[in-house]
Amino acid sequence: MNHQTPAHTPAHTLGQAPPSRSLPRFPGGTSLSQLCVYDWETSDGLHGGSPHLHTLSTEAYVVTSGRGEVHTISAAGPAVDELAAGSLLWFTPGTVHRLVNHDQLQMQVIMSNAGLPEAGDAVLTFPEEILADPQRYRDAVALPAEADQDGRAEAARARRDLAIEGYRQLLSRIEVQGPQAMQHFHELAVGLVRPRVGEWQQIWERSVEAETERTRAQLLALGAGNGAHLQEAAVIRGEPRPEPRLWGMCGRLQTWTGEDPEQH
C-alpha cells in the first residue's frame, strides 16, 4: 500500500467520531494519492516498498511513468505483473502486494474506503512472531513522530526491510503448506485489526456511507421529478498537502485536501 502509517494511534473519546480523511464529494468515498515508489535496495536484490495487505480496501494503480512490477499473493497464489506508463491494475482485500521499482516508477493510487487505510486497514508482512504480538507489531509499524526527515526515512526503510523478511518467510511457507499458509497469515491480520473496527465503522459512515446515501436521496428525488439538488452544483478544487511528502509503505506520497461547499 501506499499510505503513511501514523507514529501513534489517537485515542478517540467514547462516542466521538474520528476526523474524516476523505476528500469532500469525491466519487464513491474513495481516496487519491500520487506515489513515487522507493528505490531503496532490498535484501533479495530488488528495489521498492513494503509488502502488505488491506483488510477492507480495494486498491488500484494507474501508472504514470517509469517501470517496475507488483508482486502479489492472492487466492490464485503468487504472481508478478509488469508495470509501465499506462498500466492499470487493482486488487481486492486480502491480497498481499509488493511494489518493485526498476526505473523511477510513479503512479496514481486510488483506494476504496477513504480514511480506513490511514487508520490501520493495512497489515505488513512482518515475521510471524511480530504479527502474533499486537504491541510488537505497533512498535514495528510506527514511524518516530519527533524525528527529522532523515530519521523518518531510516525508520521507514527498517520497517520495509522487516516486512521483506516476513514476506520471504511467507512465500517459503506457501511452497510447503499451500493456501493454509495464507489462511494463517489472514487470521493473524484479523487479530491485529479487530480492536479498531468500531473506529473504522465511524469513518466509513462519515465518508463512504454518506456519499452512498447522498446518491440514494438524489435518485429518489429524480424519480419524483425533483431536481432541486442540481441547483447546488459545485466545483471543488483539491490543494496538495504541504511538503515534505509522506513516508508511505511503498514510497513517498502526495495527497490533497479540499473544502466541502456545504460547510460555507
Side-chain angles (χ1 to χ4, degrees):
M1 187 269 136
N2 58 316
H3 73 278
Q4 181 191 37
T5 301
H8 64 282
T9 301
H12 297 294
T13 309
L14 183 63
Q16 176 183 349
S20 174
R21 304 190 187 198
S22 61
L23 291 170
R25 310 290 187 91
F26 205 69
T30 60
S31 65
L32 176 69
S33 58
Q34 200 276 339
L35 175 67
C36 296
V37 180
Y38 293 132
D39 60 3
W40 298 329
E41 187 172 3
T42 58
S43 58
D44 54 4
L46 301 175
H47 299 76
S50 306
H52 61 281
L53 61 69
H54 295 279
T55 59
L56 282 173
S57 301
T58 292
E59 183 170 7
Y61 296 153
V62 184
V63 181
T64 54
S65 63
R67 296 183 304 106
E69 298 171 344
V70 59
H71 297 196
T72 57
I73 310 173
S74 67
V80 175
D81 285 275
E82 293 186 2
L83 300 175
S87 296
L88 171 63
L89 179 144
W90 64 95
F91 39 86
T92 60
T95 302
V96 172
H97 48 288
R98 173 195 184 185
L99 276 172
V100 174
N101 187 351
H102 290 328
D103 181 18
Q104 302 182 54
L105 183 62
Q106 298 189 35
M107 61 187 67
Q108 300 289 340
V109 179
I110 303 168
M111 299 279 313
S112 66
N113 300 321
L116 297 189
E118 296 87 347
D121 168 41
V123 174
L124 282 82
T125 57
F126 291 151
E128 185 170 328
E129 62 269 19
I130 296 177
L131 294 172
D133 185 330
Q135 185 57 57
R136 289 187 67 185
Y137 181 85
R138 286 192 293 270
D139 292 342
V141 79
L143 299 182
E146 304 304 323
D148 60 15
Q149 289 300 303
D150 288 342
R152 291 178 70 80
E154 181 179 355
R157 186 164 183 165
R159 177 177 68 182
R160 190 281 313 269
D161 291 344
L162 191 60
I164 292 290
E165 178 185 343
Y167 175 75
R168 296 177 70 180
Q169 293 173 1
L170 177 60
L171 286 175
S172 296
R173 287 195 296 271
I174 289 172
E175 289 183 0
V176 176
Q177 303 173 10
Q180 182 180 350
M182 274 298 286
Q183 180 180 347
H184 181 60
F185 177 66
H186 287 158
E187 290 170 352
L188 291 171
V190 171
L192 286 170
V193 304
R194 186 179 179 186
R196 306 291 302 279
V197 170
E199 174 191 339
W200 293 358
Q201 182 73 31
Q202 295 179 67
I203 295 173
W204 182 85
E205 289 171 355
R206 295 181 62 189
S207 56
V208 182
E209 186 178 45
E211 288 301 315
T212 300
E213 289 304 316
R214 187 191 308 275
T215 300
R216 187 196 309 276
Q218 292 171 351
L219 278 169
L220 291 172
L222 287 173
N226 178 0
H229 65 277
L230 301 177
Q231 303 305 313
E232 301 171 0
V235 176
I236 304 172
R237 294 171 178 81
E239 296 293 334
R241 295 185 187 274
E243 295 285 348
R245 285 174 173 246
L246 302 176
W247 294 97
M249 292 184 181
C250 296
R252 300 302 303 274
L253 290 171
Q254 174 65 68
T255 60
W256 289 266
T257 62
E259 293 188 358
D260 192 330
E262 284 190 351
Q263 306 301 318
H264 297 278

